[in-house]
Amino acid sequence: MARILSPSGTLFFILFHIFILLISQAVAQLPDFVYSVCLNDKGNYTANSIYQANLNHLLSILPSQGGNGYGFYNHSYGNSSNKVYAIGFCRGDVKPDVCSSCLNNATQRLTQVCPNQKETLGWYDLCMLRYSNRSMLGVLETAQTFFWWNAQNVSSHVDEFTKDLRSLLDSLKYQAAAGGSLRKFATGSATAPEFQTLYALVECTPDLSQRDCNNCLDYMFGNIPGFGDMKTGGGDISTNCNFWYDTQLFYDPTADTPLASSPPSLAPTSSPPSPSSPNNTTTTGGNEGNTSRNIVIITVVSSSVVALALIISVCACLNITRAKRRDENYVQYNLFWY
Ligand SMILES: *[C@@H]1O[C@H](CO)[C@@H](O)[C@H](O)[C@H]1NC(C)=O
Ligand SMILES: *[C@@H]1O[C@H](CO)[C@@H](O)[C@H](O)[C@H]1NC(C)=O
Ligand SMILES: *[C@@H]1O[C@H](CO)[C@@H](O)[C@H](O)[C@H]1NC(C)=O
Ligand SMILES: *[C@@H]1O[C@H](CO)[C@@H](O)[C@H](O)[C@H]1NC(C)=O
Ligand SMILES: *[C@@H]1O[C@H](CO)[C@@H](O)[C@H](O)[C@H]1NC(C)=O
Ligand SMILES: *[C@@H]1O[C@H](CO)[C@@H](O)[C@H](O)[C@H]1NC(C)=O
Ligand SMILES: *[C@@H]1O[C@H](CO)[C@@H](O)[C@H](O)[C@H]1NC(C)=O
Ligand SMILES: *[C@@H]1O[C@H](CO)[C@@H](O)[C@H](O)[C@H]1NC(C)=O
């Protein structure tokens, strides 16, 4: 008893809380991923190795390389066993400056979250980053997938709503898959029961073949029943293809026209991306799994050594921020992966 109340104990108590506060602020500067994975079974690199130097160099140059002009960034750096590959991919309606800011955050955050894994993936709302010691380009992988939905049930005409959604998604799927080697992206809307409008966005990474893109999206659409009761909004995100839908407009409707081929400017041209030559880049891939956990657990697991209490308070802090952000649009935010 007496020891707990001693001056040094009190001082420790105060310092500890100041420490927690500082740490939470330091972490809060970089947004936390919606979801991230550190693949422990794909090998680790050691601190201060050539591999790490190559990775850091690759990540430092990736966001400024401009990508292929449509939000797809594919680069590699290094030689033989120290060669590192990275892929960045922004949602198709994201403006180039926001895209590179998003990827810039992701390159810094991912090495914090996964301090020594060779293969990792991180997703923000608007961009994805993955890196590995293998080339992932052109390989369809659905192992890392997560889906989310808002908490609002479709209140009536559920079958009709589901049918309307599926036919909208299917038509966008064909459109996106046929988009060519630079961009596989489509948005659109349809009328749903009770005068509602359904909005949807579908996309594949442009390195997929048309067939793989169709297959990837079919696989993802197949997860909709996993939402349980039909929800008015949701989506499914993976390494190679994604979709979102909602009864509110959530994407930038001006973005269905291709972005200019160099990042900082926008060229409002007509629909299918005109072939332009992408700058030099390289790619990486994903994987598979079937577990269902909570995102907070992942954050805790992948955070490193610090005291457990510290990690928990940081996570709590990040979660509050995330919940706040979601609540602007959704009654409740649900997130699962498998
Ligand atoms: C990547 O690293 C792992 C573990 O170090 C190794 O087993 C694998 O062969 C490497 N892959 C490539 C393509 O070099
Ligand atoms: C890589 O490191 C993580 C901890 O950072 C550890 O859990 C994992 O087992 C390691 N993997 C290998 C293959 O050594
Ligand atoms: C390619 O790189 C050059 C020079 O680095 C740059 O000016 C140009 O905008 C880039 N193009 C694309 C499509 O990123
Ligand atoms: C890779 O090898 C080439 C040729 O040997 C060399 O010029 C280059 O500097 C090496 N790159 C790295 C990152 O080590
Ligand atoms: C990147 O992180 C900064 C804070 O460090 C934040 O202000 C900015 O909005 C983030 N960029 C994106 C695109 O989320
Ligand atoms: C949605 O429906 C399920 C079961 O029908 C119910 O448990 C849940 O509370 C409903 N959600 C809302 C927000 O009404
Ligand atoms: C791509 O790289 C090659 C050699 O690595 C170089 O000759 C060429 O100029 C580069 N192209 C662009 C657009 O940067
Ligand atoms: C990825 O980068 C490689 C090497 O620079 C390039 O040949 C390839 O065309 C790029 N692929 C895509 C889909 O951008």
Side-chain angles (χ1 to χ4, degrees), residues 288-308:
E288 284 188 38
N290 265 1
T291 30
S292 170
R293 286 194 231 149
N294 190 309
I295 199 160
V296 181
I297 295 171
I298 274 280
T299 317
V300 172
V301 168
S302 52
S303 300
S304 48
V305 222
V306 209
L308 186 64

Side-chain angles (χ1 to χ4, degrees), residues 12 16-17 19-21 23-24 300 304-317:
F12 175 78
F16 183 69
H17 279 262
F19 186 51
I20 285 179
L21 208 81
I23 294 275
S24 356
V300 172
S304 48
V305 222
V306 209
L308 186 64
L310 196 61
I311 295 174
I312 288 169
S313 45
V314 172
C315 291
C317 173

Side-chain angles (χ1 to χ4, degrees), residues 151-153 229 231:
Q152 224 176 322
N153 294 330
D229 294 287
K231 302 295 192 290

Side-chain angles (χ1 to χ4, degrees), residues 4-133:
I4 292 169
L5 296 173
S6 72
S8 68
T10 312
L11 186 64
F12 175 78
F13 186 78
I14 291 168
L15 285 177
F16 183 69
H17 279 262
I18 290 172
F19 186 51
I20 285 179
L21 208 81
L22 289 176
I23 294 275
S24 356
Q25 276 171 358
V27 172
Q29 280 172 6
L30 275 180
D32 198 23
F33 287 117
V34 174
Y35 177 45
S36 61
V37 193
C38 314
L39 290 152
N40 281 324
D41 57 345
K42 296 291 174 84
N44 291 335
Y45 58 84
T46 46
N48 305 316
S49 58
I50 296 172
Y51 191 90
Q52 184 179 39
N54 287 347
L55 173 64
N56 288 342
H57 177 78
L58 177 62
L59 294 180
S60 72
I61 62 164
L62 185 77
S64 58
Q65 296 294 300
N68 73 347
Y70 300 92
F72 185 71
Y73 293 64
N74 138 44
H75 274 273
S76 65
Y77 187 72
N79 291 318
S80 59
S81 67
N82 289 316
K83 188 164 183 177
V84 192
Y85 301 81
I87 289 179
F89 184 47
C90 290
R91 202 169 87 173
D93 61 334
V94 171
K95 300 265 189 289
D97 55 335
V98 177
C99 177
S100 65
S101 161
C102 189
L103 287 176
N104 196 40
N105 290 351
T107 55
Q108 295 173 62
R109 184 74 187 128
L110 200 48
T111 47
Q112 290 175 358
V113 171
C114 307
N116 61 357
Q117 286 82 1
K118 284 187 175 174
E119 184 158 332
T120 71
L121 308 101
W123 283 271
Y124 283 128
D125 283 333
L126 302 178
C127 72
M128 173 199 79
L129 174 72
R130 57 198 298 215
Y131 56 79
S132 177
N133 67 334

